[in-house]
Amino acid sequence: MCETVSRDVTETTTEQLCARPPGRPRSERAEKAIIEATLDLLVEEAGVAGVSIEAVAARAGVGKTTIYRRWPNKEALIVDALATLKAPLPEPAGRSVREDLIALARAVHSGRGDRRVDCLWNIIGSWHKHPELVRKLRRDVIEPRREVMRGVLRRGIETGEVRPDLDIEVALPMIAGAMTMQVQGLAPDEDLPDDVAERVVDTALRGLAP
Amino acid sequence: MCETVSRDVTETTTEQLCARPPGRPRSERAEKAIIEATLDLLVEEAGVAGVSIEAVAARAGVGKTTIYRRWPNKEALIVDALATLKAPLPEPAGRSVREDLIALARAVHSGRGDRRVDCLWNIIGSWHKHPELVRKLRRDVIEPRREVMRGVLRRGIETGEVRPDLDIEVALPMIAGAMTMQVQGLAPDEDLPDDVAERVVDTALRGLAP
DNA sequence: TCAATACGAAACGCACCCGTATCGTAAATT
DNA sequence: AATTTACGATACGGGTGCGTTTCGTATTGA
């Protein structure tokens, strides 16, 4: 497999590039536990400030050494932790614009309970303090998803399901924003009705005017 | 005026209720500076965790004593600071639904640069850690504004400007969410086009479908 | 003038966290 | 078996913030 190895390899000789370094290999289990703990704390402790290496280590059941061996500091750890939120990118079925939009909207909805939405929310609010982190997050996580929805709408214009003069860049945040607001507008223990996604998409498609 | 006085008064005698307590009165100037510093830090330091009493005191040019004399702890201070964000509640002109919605949407837009939006964003993300704070914020700041927009839409249904079967509770977060997403989707130094509010409202009114 | 209170500054003990170093032990290659 | 590296645990010096206390000074009413 020859995966991983962020360790310094410096393959100076003509050896095979896949040479496994000597000594005990790093524990994948520990690495995963660290990432999980980081994401948990990011949500529970309300942002980057609430994540301390000591707390991550304690929660992951890991020594601080094990963290510092992999990441130089908190920021780097959080960047890597957020990167794991990227996948999976939703793939529209392509049967109809309405169905695809509902599926995408539902992906936001199902993100509730999941950590994803909370992480994003907590971090995006901190662009004043951590601009590069937020930029990375927008580029790697948010924008790809916007691009998917953008594709759906563009295809809709071609098939005639969407009016050709639609301002797509306004429509995107309208649907995403409506879902996010609904999701975040409630207390963590409340439940959202099952058909929010349908209602949002149908309202958006139909418009407010008579 | 007989305003303020959170000090313990215990007017046991038959004296006038407005009796001013003896000694040097508390400085209004200091109080305002403290609130301002708190709000600033709430934005710049990305949330409740970033607000430390020591930092507030330093920024406000005030001794810690002066803060602890007024508030028992950080949470209470933040609650009071947020309360000052309540006013002013936007008042729709009532000429047309479109105009009113645009005015309301623009209020979000103009909140950019202002601290308001950033404060809300930062704090709402922390409902896991500070549920009571978030609840208060929603009740005192957000819900009144939703109610205004709700009123506009209801009136629109009566006048025929809005279709009578509209799901108002979906329409609200659609417009508000679209504005928020647009505002927060950009870097702090970028500028939003002047007509975002119009475009959002018009897109919402018209709908996506042909 | 006197008593009462607020002010800013400084220091307190306590707790948390940083990033590093040092343990003895565990798991790989040779 | 010997070597190499990772592991968790623990301790370190240094920093920051908490909430309290103690200063000397300033500002009010009586």
Side-chain angles (χ1 to χ4, degrees):
Chain A
M1 290 284 280
C2 187
E3 59 183 65
T4 187
V5 183
S6 66
R7 212 190 308 177
D8 201 356
V9 179
T10 60
E11 209 71 26
T12 52
T13 71
T14 56
E15 296 297 312
Q16 46 179 354
L17 292 173
C18 227
R20 182 184 202 155
R24 176 177 175 176
R26 292 192 182 164
S27 160
E28 276 188 46
R29 217 173 136 276
E31 190 139 339
K32 281 187 180 166
I34 293 169
I35 297 284
E36 291 298 307
T38 303
L39 294 175
D40 285 348
L41 288 173
L42 218 41
V43 174
E44 292 171 20
E45 299 302 311
V48 179
V51 179
S52 75
I53 299 287
E54 309 225 334
V56 171
R59 188 177 194 117
V62 147
K64 287 204 290 174
T65 329
T66 307
I67 298 181
Y68 279 113
R69 194 174 291 117
R70 292 166 166 77
W71 294 277
N73 52 51
K74 186 168 73 174
E75 293 263 339
L77 167 59
I78 291 181
V79 166
D80 273 13
L82 291 178
T84 68
L85 294 182
K86 292 197 291 191
L89 196 66
E91 185 73 39
R95 270 209 295 275
S96 76
V97 168
R98 180 173 179 273
E99 272 184 54
D100 286 348
L101 288 180
I102 288 176
L104 290 174
R106 223 193 285 272
V108 176
H109 173 195
S110 78
R112 191 171 148 79
D114 192 355
R115 284 173 309 215
R116 220 164 260 124
V117 174
D118 299 309
C119 275
L120 299 193
W121 193 279
N122 265 329
I123 290 184
I124 287 181
S126 70
W127 50 257
H128 242 120
K129 180 117 194 218
H130 307 285
E132 48 338 294
L133 196 59
V134 174
R135 214 172 301 130
K136 187 176 175 60
L137 195 64
R138 271 207 270 262
R139 182 162 39 84
D140 295 351
V141 180
I142 299 179
E143 192 47 45
R145 282 163 174 72
R146 286 173 59 97
E147 184 57 32
V148 171
M149 192 180 286
R150 205 177 275 126
V152 169
L153 291 178
R154 271 204 281 258
R155 204 167 335 115
I157 292 181
E158 290 174 17
T159 65
E161 291 169 278
V162 174
R163 62 185 165 99
D165 59 333
L166 174 69
D167 191 337
I168 292 185
E169 297 309 310
V170 169
L172 291 183
M174 217 163 76
I175 295 177
M179 289 304 296
T180 309
M181 289 282 158
Q182 297 256 21
V183 169
Q184 284 295 13
L186 298 172
D189 44 14
E190 290 180 71
D191 271 337
L192 225 54
D194 285 343
D195 60 342
V196 224
E198 282 92 333
R199 287 163 63 188
V200 165
V201 170
D202 284 336
T203 304
L205 284 171
R206 173 76 172 79
L208 276 51
Chain B
M1 289 285 281
C2 188
E3 60 182 66
T4 186
V5 184
S6 64
R7 215 189 305 177
D8 201 357
V9 179
T10 60
E11 209 72 26
T12 53
T13 71
T14 56
E15 295 297 313
Q16 47 179 352
L17 291 173
C18 227
R20 182 185 201 155
R24 175 177 175 176
R26 293 191 181 165
S27 160
E28 277 188 44
R29 220 175 133 276
E31 190 139 339
K32 282 188 179 164
I34 293 169
I35 297 283
E36 291 297 307
T38 303
L39 294 175
D40 285 348
L41 288 173
L42 218 41
V43 174
E44 292 172 20
E45 299 303 313
V48 179
V51 179
S52 74
I53 300 286
E54 311 225 336
V56 171
R59 189 179 193 116
V62 149
K64 286 204 291 174
T65 330
T66 307
I67 298 181
Y68 280 112
R69 193 175 292 116
R70 292 166 166 79
W71 295 276
N73 52 51
K74 187 167 71 175
E75 293 262 339
L77 167 59
I78 291 182
V79 166
D80 274 14
L82 291 178
T84 68
L85 294 182
K86 290 197 291 191
L89 198 66
E91 186 72 39
R95 270 209 296 275
S96 75
V97 167
R98 178 173 180 273
E99 272 183 55
D100 287 348
L101 288 180
I102 288 175
L104 290 174
R106 224 194 286 274
V108 176
H109 174 195
S110 80
R112 191 172 148 80
D114 193 357
R115 284 173 309 217
R116 221 164 258 125
V117 174
D118 299 309
C119 276
L120 299 193
W121 193 279
N122 266 329
I123 291 184
I124 286 181
S126 70
W127 50 260
H128 243 121
K129 180 120 196 216
H130 308 284
E132 46 341 294
L133 194 60
V134 174
R135 215 173 298 130
K136 187 176 174 61
L137 194 64
R138 272 207 269 261
R139 181 162 39 83
D140 295 351
V141 179
I142 298 179
E143 191 49 44
R145 283 163 173 73
R146 286 172 60 96
E147 185 56 34
V148 172
M149 193 179 285
R150 206 177 273 126
V152 169
L153 291 177
R154 271 204 280 259
R155 203 168 334 115
I157 292 181
E158 290 174 15
T159 65
E161 290 169 278
V162 174
R163 63 185 165 98
D165 58 334
L166 174 69
D167 191 337
I168 292 185
E169 297 308 310
V170 169
L172 291 183
M174 217 162 77
I175 294 178
M179 288 304 295
T180 310
M181 289 283 161
Q182 298 256 19
V183 167
Q184 284 295 12
L186 299 172
D189 43 14
E190 290 180 71
D191 270 337
L192 226 53
D194 286 344
D195 61 342
V196 223
E198 282 92 333
R199 287 164 62 188
V200 165
V201 170
D202 285 336
T203 303
L205 284 171
R206 174 76 173 78
L208 275 51

